[in-house]
Amino acid sequence: MKTTEYLEDLADEALLFDGCSSAIVGHDQNGFAVYQHTKLVQIFEADGMTIDEAIEWVEFNIMGVQPQNYTIVFT
């Protein structure tokens, strides 16, 4: 499936990160986005971060998000 097809199937409450839709690899049973860690890191590397900076950014600013009303899934 293409990312655009996954986006169409997401729940209205699904948490989406700006500029990271290409890292969505699917959705869970509730319609929440499933992000691939490697693709997230690559997005931030392409924006000029080193790999270490990108990994730290993803782990703190994306994976560190703790929403109370829904979930974020990572692979």
Side-chain angles (χ1 to χ4, degrees):
M1 238 185 215
K2 295 180 183 179
T3 300
T4 53
E5 293 172 359
Y6 291 129
L7 292 173
E8 294 170 3
D9 294 333
L10 295 177
D12 292 338
E13 310 82 39
L15 183 60
L16 301 176
F17 296 99
D18 289 338
C20 295
S21 62
S22 64
I24 296 173
V25 294
H27 57 78
D28 69 3
Q29 68 276 12
N30 296 313
F32 299 134
V34 175
Y35 288 91
Q36 186 177 55
H37 185 272
T38 303
K39 288 184 179 186
L40 287 167
V41 170
Q42 290 170 347
I43 289 169
F44 292 100
E45 276 187 286
D47 282 346
M49 292 184 183
T50 66
I51 190 166
D52 291 333
E53 291 170 334
I55 290 169
E56 184 177 344
W57 177 263
V58 167
E59 290 179 358
F60 184 79
N61 294 293
I62 295 179
M63 295 179 75
V65 172
Q66 299 292 322
Q68 294 184 15
N69 298 336
Y70 42 85
T71 59
I72 305 168
V73 182
F74 301 97
T75 66

